[in-house]
Amino acid sequence: MAGLLHIESILNPVTALAFVQLDRLYLLAGEGQYLSIFNHQNSQLVYTQKVFEEQAIHGIASSSFQNTDGVRNGTLLIWGGRSICVFGFNAKRDIYGKFNAQLSARLPEIRADDRILDGCFQDIGSDEPRPQTNYYFKPVLLTAHNELLQLNTLPDGSPDLDKPRFLHRIASGPSSILYSAHIVWPASERILVAAGTVFGDVLLWSLPFQDSDFSGSVSVHCTFKGHEGSVFGVRISERVENGLIQRILASCSDDRTIRVWDISNAVISDTDVRIPRFNRSLSNVSKQDSKEAVGCLATAMGHASRIWGLRFLGRYENIWQLLSYGEDGTTQVWRLSPTPHQEHSTGGHFRYGLEHLTTYAYHTGKNLWAVAVQREAIATGGADGRITSYQHHLKGESPNFGTSICHCTIKEAVASSKTAANSYDHDSTQQIGLPKVRTKTIAQRMFDGLAGCWKLSRQTRSQISTNLSGSLDGIATFSRRAPSDKGYDAEYFYSENGDFVSDKGLIFKANRHYVYRYQESKDIISAWFVKDESTVDYFFHNLNFGDESAESLQRPEDDKELKLKASGHHLCVNDTYQPEYSFKLDNSTGLNRWSLRYIVKGPGKDDVIDNNYTRDEGSGGLGPAKPISGTTNISDSLPTANESPAEVDDSFKIYAWIGNNSFLTSTEHGNLLVGTMDSNGRHGKEKRILANASGNSPRKANNETFKASENMGSKGTELLEEVDSQASRATEKVPQRKIESSTAVIDAVPSDVSCLTWEKVGHETQLESSCIATSVPSLGIALLTGTDGTIHLYNNRNRTTEVVKELGGKASFLKAQHLKGWNPGGLPKPKSVTVGVLAACLGSSSLTAFTICLEKGNSDVKLEEICLGNLPSNFLVTSSCFIEKAGSLILGSRNGHIIVAVFPAQRNANNDNIPIWDDSDEKAAFDYLLQVHGEEAVTCIEPFGVANSGSTFSLATTGRDGRYAVHKVAISISKDGSHQVELQTVHTGVPPFGPNIEGLCFDQTTKCLFVWGFRSQEFVVWNEVHKSEVMTVKCGGAHRNWSYCHRCDGRGGGSLVWTKAKVCSVHSQAKASHQVLRCGGHGREIKAIAVREQTFEGVGKIIATGAEDTTIRIFQHVPEKGFHCASISEKHTTGLQKLQWSLDGTLLFSAASCEEFFVWKVTMMSSSPCLQTGVVCVSQCPPVTESGHLRIMDFALTELPHGDQERKYLLTMVYSDSSIRMFRYDAFRRQGHFELLRAGSYATSCLTQALNLEFGSLVHPYATSTDGNIVLWSPSDRNTMLSPAEIFDFPLILPPDLVDTSGTGIPLEARFPIHQSSIKSLICPHPPRPLSLTSTCGHIIIHPHFSNIILTTGGDDGAIAFTRVILPHSPFIKEVPTHTTLYIPNAHASAVNAITCISTAGSGVYLFASVGNDQRLKTWRFSIDWGQEGVNGARVVRDGNVYTSVADASSLGSGTDKYGQRRVYVAGIGMESWKVNDLRMVF
């Protein structure tokens, strides 16, 4: 029955993901019943295979090995519901040597007796080549009733293919109903199973495996309790051989908690409960015997809603990281680590804490269903159909998208910079020996300060009477020496000598030796035990620095000490050593004293050892240590008495990028500095910044206090005064519970940028206190102006600054632009570069414009003045753009207006003083003024699509109203020679941040549009084509000095520099934070779909969808490429109900709850480099009630007769209060205009559908209701609707036998009972046709005043009905309409949600498609003999019945392409396109 329909394209929720490593890394995605394979490296889709017939994929397990031919093959175990199948997966070379992924079915779909929750292959533990034919694949699976199954199958080419392949039960776990499960089958002899029950318990049991046989009994290890809801996800970690714990189990629940359990000892023991393999009862087992666990290692509450699953990311240094994902569409990273202050509990276990690190939010809407982890790569898929991939590094090392974060004070920048000479090339910074100064971290400064001799005083106190207590006085020495390990950058040999005096009077000679090392790549100081002076033994502990709480950072202003703290941890067999360091720095003399406390706990120890170190001035010590490379001594960062107040009070003012990695900044005192994110020889280095997860880490000018948690793998810096967000699109979120020491590691490792180099390039007194800057990064130049209006040109190529223009007043605006096609005189200038500059002064309506000609090969600067007239009053310029080919200038203002100004046509090289506009006539100037961004400032103007003649072009603008917009501009010359400018806004977009949208650019490499701006305290870069955030930086918000430079190299990276609390911070990102493998669509259920009749070359079919997420998406459907979201429109505040196109496809009408009805204009933008579809809201229907709370259930649209310069429509709307209203909409008016024509109501049942039928000049309104009736109202004359509105009520609905036909003037109406319950769909496949009946003698009798229609309905009762209605089409006939119905019960197994007419063939022959909640898409062939009465001549045949993977299908659409191919589109939770192959319309 499926021969008529064939699936073509899908865009469904992603329900399963898995990585498979063959010749390269592949990502497998389950989308409905289809398996898609992506090349993870380039994000390309390489293969799609239908796996199941009528079941979505829920899980994928893989096993791969290398055969003797050197080819790596894989086997895939795929399950969903009760369905299971096995595929072979390999990548073979074609004749061109290119690898192509291929799937081969090894086991077709089979069905188990129960729902499958998890499955896996055995981990062979060896990757040695093996013959394929000798390797059997026997994966195991677990059902929802805790039964373990094994599947026997063989690889391709096996000689034993005649052996049976079957699924059999091998064991049964404790009897329970499961919601989740995870199976681990290591190379060892035991299968370990974790199962989460619907009652909130977590079961852990295992089954022995020996010699390919399961013969032992089931061992029940633990029953973990604690969750207060169903356990949605469980995960068993890999086993490690060392550390405090070797294996853990994590679980998540409906109660939104994550719990972690220690299962290190989950092995066979005498206390385990053993049950026969097939005996599921535990009734004879006592509570003590079942080893119920009442506690867990750690618990945390996270996510905004339910948590669906967990994945382990890995372990390092006794720290585990795991990932959770859930209903809120995010993934969150958690760290499980020992708490900073550990003590033995009564059970002898260590305390652990589960801390929230990072949130990744790369999906829209609800529900993230699938996650896959492969080493550091994470892939996610959600209900929105989007598939993303990103990197997460365990130790806070930088992700591979190449991010560098640097912070620097003005004092450090000035002190480390070197005055530039004017005779060297900027690209060779090493030629002048510039110091490479990275931000000095606490670890570097403390390591420098430790060098030399110290006076040591130690107090030892033990709570155990048998242990020694006493004091020691002596000398400790840190001797600098060459590192004994190449992995470290600096090393001290620590030695101490002294006399220990016990409390009992005993005296001992005491000495100790350690080695202290510094590792720059991790910025960590570590202490090591030694065997002797030349041999390092083993690791002792790290010194970890972090932020103190906000309260501890406060200090009196007269405090002259900087207090820094660090902590560590060491486990020595059964004893734990908890070192706590405290460093005290004097502002004038540096590090002169510090202390170290050891807290020792163990079975035989309970000691506290306090060590106090003071600088031994008279010992002839070693003196200060040599600074670590790239740093300075610690005293450089502290204010001293010798510093001048002016030097301390200087601060950064403005920034201007002069290259991808270089920026120019001016200071409060007029200094000009160039900062460069340099990478010379520093690949692989990193800088990580420890940030407090509460969102605040205040920075003090002089003294600060820092505290580190044990084994964080991160480092502190005194230059960070707030939390920066993760370099990817990771939004820092604090868990719902209070965490005392919650931290987030912000990674920084570049691929091409790593350290900040400063260079002083000049000093200009005119730039003191106030400065405006603009730059052209591609040319390496910047222009700056200060209080007196002098414009300075800085050229980074030769490090020169010169005055190029005097404005005569303080500037309010300055903008420079590279004019690539500028040549007003018509003379070629091949050796020059032209820069256009526009400036405006405060309090003046005049503009200054000029061009700068930079001659190549020398530093000559030539100026060319451009004469401009005065601006309209109150027009304050905020943005500008020159259009060279068009000879025009575009200006944006603070109040949302733009001016399109055209240079006079007679302007030439000899006559260049003609104003752009005539400022003598202000009204004429206002004719060019158009409002495009409300009342907010226009922040950026970017041209594109400029015609060769310059007469037409497009503009993209951004504004602080939270929108970006695209405008079409046409310039013509009138008869009097003046220019006429026409501007039309064709698209508006609302990115998910704002309202400060600050800029945009087109990336010609990827054909993507990038928009950037601010969201609260975050700076966001948005990819409008992929609908994803590619960069997020927590910088404190828009109210600060900042500058952003986007890298238009196809990778989506960029650099942001900003100031906060007098600290210059730079975030440079080489590429996007994550890659998008599939863009996806709506994140909620689609409720409406409308297919545009017109088809466009290269774009395909245009499809509009509206969903519960309140957005309207315009999709482009090309069969070979699938669905591509071209635009997202956000104006509705509630879920969509209905969408409909106008006949010409230029207007889209949308309806929703809260009486929201909008009209959108849709334009195809062929000139846009990336946006091909423009959408702008042109009008809104006013609410019909004071409260405005009614839902518009449906509407019908009829186009009224109109002239060339007008378009009018008749709209019939039905509302949730059973009312019906008819409006006339005039689309020709600028803002559109709605007039209410008629209104009425229908009993107490809610109206659900609306339909307008036209016959001649009459329009018949129809509606359906929840009582199963079709309701007819009296017709309206279309011609009279063109006149001024006459509002009157519809008459009340009366049964046909009570309708007055005596000519008393009551309009005719009726209602027809059709369905047993609510009618959910209503269509009429044809216009009304004249009534003609065949008489008994064979003659055809035509009734000219009556017409026939066929109404097709689908109901909540699962039935489809074809109703023939005969009605008069003359207002003078008072007869009641009659109807007869062909009722098809049980057409679907559930409600029929949508019906569409695919095609008509001849008179009375139609093809329909229907879809219901039963996920069946069916086609119906309907024919009728109009000559017979009623439906006697009707015939219905079901032509197609296929399964659709779209759940909760709510709407259908159909369309025909330019080749005549018909398609059906299904929308619900996802979208599908079905091709109609053969209509077979002839019986």
Side-chain angles (χ1 to χ4, degrees):
M1 301 293 291
L4 185 64
L5 297 172
H6 286 268
I7 191 69
E8 194 172 45
S9 304
I10 59 172
L11 182 57
N12 287 332
V14 179
T15 53
L17 287 172
F19 282 107
V20 177
Q21 181 71 57
L22 296 183
D23 63 300
R24 65 198 65 187
L25 186 62
Y26 293 93
L27 178 63
L28 281 60
E31 304 170 278
Q33 67 265 52
Y34 297 90
L35 180 69
S36 299
I37 301 176
F38 295 87
N39 182 341
H40 185 256
Q41 183 177 1
N42 58 19
S43 305
Q44 297 297 315
L45 177 65
V46 297
Y47 196 86
T48 299
Q49 174 75 43
K50 185 177 181 180
V51 173
F52 297 133
E53 288 297 325
E54 298 182 0
Q55 174 62 52
I57 299 172
H58 292 159
I60 305 170
S62 65
S63 175
S64 62
F65 66 94
Q66 183 176 339
N67 61 24
T68 54
D69 297 331
V71 178
R72 194 168 190 86
N73 296 321
T75 302
L76 305 178
L77 171 66
I78 305 173
W79 67 90
R82 297 192 298 128
S83 298
I84 308 167
C85 66
V86 179
F87 278 83
F89 179 38
N90 54 58
K92 296 183 179 180
R93 293 184 183 271
D94 57 17
I95 58 175
Y96 304 102
K98 183 179 179 181
F99 280 99
N100 292 318
Q102 294 181 351
L103 287 179
S104 57
R106 292 181 178 170
L107 179 64
E109 179 182 358
I110 61 173
R111 292 179 67 82
D113 296 331
D114 197 1
R115 185 167 58 95
I116 303 297
L117 296 182
D118 193 35
C120 74
F121 293 92
Q122 184 181 16
D123 185 0
I124 303 302
S126 173
D127 200 29
E128 297 180 359
R130 60 176 62 87
Q132 182 182 12
T133 56
N134 294 334
Y135 185 65
Y136 285 72
F137 300 91
K138 297 183 178 181
V140 294
L141 305 103
L142 192 73
T143 71
H145 284 82
N146 214 9
E147 291 189 338
L148 193 64
L149 311 178
Q150 187 173 36
L151 180 66
N152 291 343
T153 182
L154 297 172
D156 294 338
S158 172
D160 302 324
L161 289 179
D162 56 339
K163 291 186 176 181
R165 310 179 185 190
F166 59 95
L167 186 69
H168 63 96
R169 182 172 59 136
I170 58 176
S172 296
S175 178
S176 185
I177 302 176
L178 307 184
Y179 211 119
S180 58
H182 183 217
I183 308 173
V184 175
W185 191 4
S188 60
E189 301 175 351
R190 181 166 294 276
I191 294 179
L192 191 60
V193 178
T197 73
V198 297
F199 308 108
D201 297 339
V202 179
L203 308 176
L204 183 67
W205 59 278
S206 65
L207 180 69
F209 172 75
Q210 292 182 350
D211 301 327
S212 302
D213 183 33
F214 298 96
S215 57
S217 60
V218 170
S219 298
V220 181
H221 303 291
C222 292
T223 300
F224 297 110
K225 296 182 178 295
H227 285 294
E228 297 179 359
S230 298
V231 179
F232 291 146
V234 291
R235 204 73 182 177
I236 301 173
S237 71
E238 295 182 353
R239 185 175 183 85
V240 295
E241 298 302 327
N242 52 17
L244 299 178
I245 51 179
Q246 289 78 45
R247 172 169 277 170
I248 58 178
L249 166 65
S251 59
C252 59
S253 169
D254 194 15
D255 59 9
R256 293 174 49 208
T257 63
I258 298 171
R259 295 179 180 266
V260 183
W261 321 82
D262 184 3
I263 58 171
S264 301
N265 299 320
V267 295
I268 287 292
S269 65
D270 293 337
T271 59
D272 288 331
V273 177
R274 302 190 185 186
I275 59 177
R277 282 197 297 149
F278 302 113
N279 183 2
R280 301 158 54 87
S281 175
L282 287 178
S283 59
N284 59 341
V285 180
S286 66
K287 186 174 183 180
Q288 290 77 13
D289 292 337
S290 65
K291 296 178 60 178
E292 287 192 0
V294 296
C296 61
L297 284 178
T299 182
M301 178 172 285
H303 292 268
S305 52
R306 292 173 291 185
I307 306 173
W308 294 135
L310 300 159
R311 293 292 185 273
F312 281 99
L313 300 179
R315 172 190 174 275
Y316 70 98
E317 299 178 359
N318 288 326
I319 296 176
W320 301 75
Q321 285 192 12
L322 62 152
L323 184 81
S324 62
Y325 57 96
E327 189 179 17
D328 60 359
T330 68
T331 56
Q332 299 186 14
V333 180
W334 304 82
R335 174 173 54 204
L336 177 71
S337 61
T339 54
H341 301 286
Q342 298 181 23
E343 297 179 0
H344 282 286
S345 64
T346 56
H349 295 286
F350 293 104
R351 294 181 181 176
Y352 276 77
L354 192 59
E355 298 176 299
H356 179 269
L357 294 183
T358 298
T359 297
Y360 296 104
Y362 297 143
H363 294 264
T364 60
K366 295 174 60 176
N367 291 317
L368 199 155
W369 294 120
V371 169
V373 177
Q374 175 80 1
R375 298 186 179 92
E376 296 174 341
I378 300 173
T380 59
D384 58 355
R386 177 185 290 262
I387 302 175
T388 65
S389 177
Y390 47 94
Q391 299 284 325
H392 178 84
H393 293 251
L394 289 178
K395 299 183 181 181
E397 298 171 354
S398 100
N400 66 358
F401 53 83
T403 300
S404 180
I405 305 172
C406 292
H407 307 271
C408 188
T409 62
I410 185 64
K411 180 181 178 295
E412 290 172 326
V414 173
S416 63
S417 63
K418 183 172 182 178
T419 303
N422 294 331
S423 59
Y424 68 89
D425 188 358
H426 169 63
D427 295 333
S428 302
T429 57
Q430 295 297 331
Q431 296 177 5
I432 62 170
L434 286 178
K436 290 191 176 295
V437 178
R438 291 174 37 154
T439 303
K440 292 181 282 295
T441 63
I442 294 173
Q444 292 174 323
R445 294 166 186 246
M446 293 304 100
F447 195 83
D448 287 339
L450 289 175
C453 291
W454 300 86
K455 183 181 292 184
L456 170 62
S457 176
R458 174 179 298 139
Q459 295 289 329
T460 302
R461 293 289 177 263
S462 178
Q463 301 297 322
I464 301 176
S465 59
T466 56
N467 293 348
L468 284 176
S469 297
S471 61
L472 178 144
D473 293 316
I475 297 295
T477 304
F478 288 81
S479 303
R480 189 70 173 264
R481 69 182 190 182
S484 57
D485 189 328
K486 294 182 179 180
Y488 295 84
D489 302 277
E491 186 173 294
Y492 290 129
F493 180 80
Y494 171 89
S495 64
E496 65 177 50
N497 293 281
D499 295 325
F500 179 82
V501 180
S502 71
D503 290 346
K504 297 181 179 181
L506 300 177
I507 301 176
F508 304 93
K509 287 289 184 181
N511 61 79
R512 290 184 181 179
H513 303 283
Y514 300 103
V515 163
Y516 280 75
R517 289 169 167 172
Y518 175 76
Q519 188 174 12
E520 187 178 8
S521 62
K522 295 184 178 180
D523 194 38
I524 286 181
I525 301 174
S526 56
W528 299 74
F529 293 102
V530 297
K531 293 182 179 179
D532 52 47
E533 185 172 350
S534 59
T535 305
V536 177
D537 194 0
Y538 59 94
F539 173 76
F540 188 9
H541 62 267
N542 288 331
L543 278 72
N544 298 303
F545 295 89
D547 288 345
E548 279 279 307
S549 62
E551 294 80 6
S552 64
L553 289 175
Q554 306 299 323
R555 61 175 180 80
E557 294 182 358
D558 57 352
D559 193 347
K560 296 182 179 180
E561 286 187 345
L562 177 64
K563 299 177 183 179
L564 306 175
K565 292 186 178 182
S567 62
H569 174 263
H570 176 70
L571 176 65
C572 182
V573 189
N574 294 324
D575 301 330
T576 60
Y577 289 75
Q578 186 72 40
E580 296 180 354
Y581 291 79
S582 179
F583 300 92
K584 299 180 180 179
L585 295 89
D586 187 88
N587 285 352
S588 59
T589 58
L591 179 62
N592 281 331
R593 52 189 175 135
W594 58 285
S595 63
L596 169 60
R597 166 175 284 193
Y598 287 100
I599 300 175
V600 186
K601 299 286 186 179
K605 293 184 179 180
D606 190 359
D607 305 335
V608 176
I609 305 172
D610 287 312
N611 301 273
N612 292 287
Y613 296 83
T614 56
R615 182 65 74 181
D616 186 13
E617 300 293 340
S619 63
L622 298 176
K626 180 180 179 181
I628 302 171
S629 175
T631 67
T632 59
N633 285 327
I634 188 169
S635 58
D636 291 343
S637 67
L638 301 174
T640 65
N642 298 327
E643 291 179 344
S644 64
E647 191 173 359
V648 174
D649 294 339
D650 201 3
S651 61
F652 297 102
K653 290 300 296 182
I654 55 91
Y655 302 99
W657 286 96
I658 50 178
N660 283 337
N661 298 329
S662 300
F663 60 91
L664 176 71
T665 179
S666 73
T667 71
E668 190 76 28
H669 296 161
N671 293 317
L672 296 179
L673 304 174
V674 172
T676 302
M677 303 290 289
D678 195 30
S679 62
N680 294 333
R682 303 193 66 85
H683 293 285
K685 300 296 182 183
E686 69 172 43
K687 180 162 67 176
R688 292 164 298 170
I689 301 157
L690 187 68
N692 189 293
S694 65
N696 290 309
S697 179
R699 181 184 183 276
K700 301 292 265 182
N702 295 325
N703 294 346
E704 301 162 287
T705 303
F706 290 84
K707 180 181 179 181
S709 297
E710 181 255 338
N711 284 330
M712 295 289 184
S714 58
K715 52 190 174 184
T717 174
E718 66 278 31
L719 299 176
L720 183 66
E721 32 58 57
E722 65 174 7
V723 178
D724 290 317
S725 61
Q726 184 74 13
S728 62
R729 167 65 173 102
T731 305
E732 194 68 38
K733 292 186 178 179
V734 181
Q736 298 299 317
R737 66 185 182 92
K738 181 179 179 181
I739 299 177
E740 295 296 334
S741 180
S742 179
T743 57
V745 176
I746 297 169
D747 303 331
V749 196
S751 56
D752 57 348
V753 287
S754 59
C755 62
L756 185 60
T757 300
W758 288 101
E759 178 183 358
K760 185 175 181 180
V761 295
H763 177 84
E764 300 293 341
T765 57
Q766 298 93 335
L767 302 180
E768 294 179 358
S769 71
S770 178
C771 185
I772 297 177
T774 182
S775 66
V776 183
S778 61
L779 302 179
I781 66 169
L783 289 98
L784 307 94
T785 180
T787 55
D788 62 351
T790 302
I791 298 178
H792 303 263
L793 172 65
Y794 171 75
N795 192 330
N796 197 47
R797 187 173 183 274
N798 50 29
R799 303 299 199 281
T800 59
T801 304
E802 58 181 305
V803 176
V804 294
K805 186 69 177 176
E806 298 283 349
L807 296 180
K810 186 177 181 180
S812 62
F813 175 78
L814 182 66
K815 176 65 181 299
Q817 178 184 344
H818 183 195
L819 305 180
K820 299 180 181 180
W822 183 265
N823 191 7
L827 301 176
K829 297 180 181 181
K831 295 184 179 181
S832 65
V833 175
T834 302
V835 177
V837 183
L838 184 71
C841 294
L842 287 173
S844 174
S845 61
S846 63
L847 285 176
T848 299
F850 57 92
T851 60
I852 301 175
C853 184
L854 302 175
E855 297 291 339
K856 294 183 178 179
N858 56 60
S859 58
D860 292 343
V861 176
K862 298 180 181 179
L863 263 66
E864 181 184 16
E865 297 286 342
I866 302 175
C867 184
L868 299 177
N870 291 330
L871 287 171
S873 58
N874 299 324
F875 191 97
L876 301 179
V877 181
T878 56
S879 55
S880 68
C881 180
F882 288 95
I883 313 291
E884 299 101 300
K885 290 183 180 180
S888 58
L889 174 66
I890 318 297
L891 303 176
S893 77
R894 183 176 294 179
N895 57 4
H897 293 79
I898 64 172
I899 285 182
V900 181
V902 183
F903 290 94
Q906 60 268 41
R907 184 180 186 275
N908 52 50
N910 299 321
N911 186 9
D912 56 359
N913 291 321
I914 301 176
I916 289 184
W917 56 78
D918 185 5
D919 55 4
S920 62
D921 184 1
E922 185 171 302
K923 182 179 183 304
F926 266 101
D927 289 339
Y928 296 90
L929 188 144
L930 299 163
Q931 191 166 20
V932 295
H933 284 282
E935 299 294 332
E936 302 297 332
V938 181
T939 55
C940 177
I941 303 174
E942 188 75 18
F944 64 91
V946 182
N948 292 329
S949 62
S951 59
T952 60
F953 57 90
S954 297
L955 297 174
T957 62
T958 60
R960 294 198 175 123
D961 60 345
R963 301 182 304 152
Y964 77 92
V966 178
H967 321 273
K968 282 188 175 181
V969 181
I971 301 175
S972 59
I973 301 177
S974 62
K975 295 181 179 179
D976 60 359
S978 61
H979 290 92
Q980 301 294 325
V981 178
E982 180 182 354
L983 184 143
Q984 180 185 10
T985 301
V986 295
H987 181 69
T988 58
V990 183
F993 59 92
N996 287 26
I997 310 297
E998 301 291 345
L1000 56 77
C1001 72
F1002 295 97
D1003 192 326
Q1004 299 295 338
T1005 304
T1006 58
K1007 305 298 182 184
C1008 288
L1009 171 65
F1010 292 91
V1011 185
W1012 54 84
F1014 291 89
R1015 175 180 54 212
S1016 184
Q1017 296 187 14
E1018 293 177 330
F1019 179 84
V1020 178
V1021 182
W1022 171 261
N1023 187 327
E1024 179 64 12
V1025 174
H1026 292 166
K1027 313 298 180 187
S1028 63
E1029 292 183 13
V1030 298
M1031 179 174 170
T1032 305
V1033 182
K1034 194 163 187 179
C1035 62
H1039 304 292
R1040 64 196 65 256
N1041 292 321
W1042 64 275
S1043 182
Y1044 176 71
C1045 178
H1046 190 79
R1047 301 186 180 192
C1048 292
D1049 56 3
R1051 299 194 295 171
S1055 299
L1056 174 72
V1057 57
W1058 74 94
T1059 300
K1060 186 173 183 182
K1062 295 187 177 181
V1063 176
C1064 170
S1065 300
V1066 185
H1067 179 110
S1068 185
Q1069 191 168 300
K1071 63 179 182 179
S1073 58
H1074 63 284
Q1075 57 180 332
V1076 179
L1077 286 79
R1078 174 159 289 170
C1079 293
H1082 290 281
R1084 297 290 300 276
E1085 302 90 334
I1086 300 174
K1087 292 298 185 181
I1089 187 171
V1091 182
R1092 189 173 179 176
E1093 287 296 329
Q1094 297 78 10
T1095 303
F1096 300 90
E1097 189 68 32
V1099 175
K1101 212 67 179 172
I1102 303 297
I1103 302 170
T1105 58
E1108 286 289 344
D1109 59 7
T1110 74
T1111 65
I1112 297 174
R1113 290 180 180 249
I1114 304 295
F1115 287 92
Q1116 299 171 354
H1117 178 245
V1118 178
E1120 298 79 14
K1121 300 179 181 179
F1123 296 99
H1124 169 68
C1125 182
S1127 70
I1128 302 177
S1129 300
E1130 299 182 12
K1131 193 172 180 65
H1132 285 282
T1133 60
T1134 60
L1136 273 293
Q1137 287 288 122
K1138 174 71 177 293
L1139 293 171
Q1140 186 171 341
W1141 292 97
S1142 62
L1143 292 179
D1144 59 1
T1146 59
L1147 295 180
L1148 178 66
F1149 299 83
S1150 64
S1153 299
C1154 296
E1155 302 176 25
E1156 295 178 345
F1157 188 90
F1158 298 130
V1159 183
W1160 310 79
K1161 185 174 183 180
V1162 181
T1163 307
M1164 302 307 298
M1165 300 185 294
S1166 58
S1167 61
S1168 172
C1170 56
L1171 297 176
Q1172 296 178 321
T1173 305
V1175 182
V1176 60
C1177 184
V1178 293
S1179 58
Q1180 176 180 0
C1181 182
V1184 297
T1185 63
E1186 293 183 1
S1187 63
H1189 291 162
L1190 295 181
R1191 173 180 296 183
I1192 302 176
M1193 303 298 296
D1194 194 20
F1195 66 89
L1197 180 70
T1198 300
E1199 190 164 343
L1200 299 175
H1202 55 75
D1204 296 337
Q1205 299 298 322
E1206 59 182 11
R1207 282 191 298 172
K1208 295 183 179 181
Y1209 299 89
L1210 176 66
L1211 290 162
T1212 301
M1213 301 186 195
V1214 292
Y1215 294 83
S1216 55
D1217 65 345
S1218 302
S1219 63
I1220 181 172
R1221 291 172 177 85
M1222 297 183 72
F1223 294 87
R1224 180 172 60 232
Y1225 171 66
D1226 187 353
F1228 183 71
R1229 300 191 185 184
R1230 181 173 178 83
Q1231 296 297 328
H1233 184 68
F1234 289 87
E1235 293 180 275
L1236 179 61
L1237 301 178
R1238 307 179 72 182
S1241 62
Y1242 172 73
T1244 58
S1245 299
C1246 179
L1247 298 177
T1248 58
Q1249 302 290 311
L1251 181 66
N1252 284 344
L1253 289 180
E1254 303 174 58
F1255 194 89
S1257 63
L1258 297 182
V1259 178
H1260 297 262
Y1262 286 72
T1264 61
S1265 67
T1266 55
D1267 60 5
N1269 288 343
I1270 295 179
V1271 187
L1272 287 72
W1273 272 272
S1274 60
S1276 302
D1277 194 327
R1278 295 194 306 171
N1279 296 325
T1280 61
M1281 292 182 183
L1282 300 177
S1283 60
E1286 178 183 356
I1287 303 177
F1288 57 92
D1289 288 340
F1290 285 100
L1292 295 177
I1293 304 303
L1294 299 175
D1297 56 345
L1298 297 179
V1299 173
D1300 186 355
T1301 59
S1302 61
T1304 59
I1306 299 178
L1308 183 67
E1309 61 260 294
R1311 62 179 178 182
F1312 308 136
I1314 304 295
H1315 289 269
Q1316 299 175 10
S1317 55
S1318 177
I1319 298 178
K1320 307 193 71 173
S1321 55
L1322 168 67
I1323 64 169
C1324 181
H1326 66 93
R1329 53 180 291 117
L1331 175 63
S1332 60
L1333 298 176
T1334 304
S1335 66
T1336 56
C1337 59
H1339 296 115
I1340 298 177
I1341 303 175
I1342 299 177
H1343 299 266
H1345 300 297
F1346 291 84
S1347 57
N1348 280 286
I1349 57 170
I1350 293 293
L1351 299 178
T1352 307
T1353 55
D1356 212 11
D1357 54 1
I1360 294 177
F1362 299 91
T1363 301
R1364 181 180 182 181
V1365 181
I1366 300 176
L1367 70 161
H1369 55 76
S1370 172
F1372 303 104
I1373 299 178
K1374 302 302 180 181
E1375 289 195 28
V1376 178
T1378 60
H1379 81 286
T1380 51
T1381 300
L1382 178 59
Y1383 185 80
I1384 305 176
N1386 302 319
H1388 284 264
S1390 59
V1392 181
N1393 293 329
I1395 297 177
T1396 186
C1397 181
I1398 300 175
S1399 66
T1400 61
S1403 175
V1405 183
Y1406 310 95
L1407 183 66
F1408 296 94
S1410 63
V1411 69
N1413 288 333
D1414 56 357
Q1415 291 190 243
R1416 309 299 302 185
L1417 176 63
K1418 302 182 180 182
T1419 56
W1420 310 85
R1421 186 156 35 112
F1422 174 80
S1423 62
I1424 186 171
D1425 183 358
W1426 296 106
Q1428 299 187 41
E1429 291 187 0
V1431 291
N1432 294 333
R1435 181 184 178 189
V1436 178
V1437 177
R1438 191 183 67 188
D1439 271 343
N1441 181 5
V1442 296
Y1443 172 83
T1444 172
S1445 59
V1446 178
D1448 293 338
S1450 60
S1451 53
L1452 285 176
S1454 61
T1456 306
D1457 63 16
K1458 63 180 181 180
Y1459 303 107
Q1461 177 63 59
R1462 292 176 173 85
R1463 291 179 176 86
V1464 177
Y1465 301 92
V1466 185
I1469 303 179
M1471 292 175 62
E1472 283 182 344
S1473 168
W1474 292 81
K1475 183 169 63 175
V1476 183
N1477 286 338
D1478 180 13
L1479 294 181
R1480 297 180 293 171
M1481 297 303 298
V1482 180
F1483 285 95

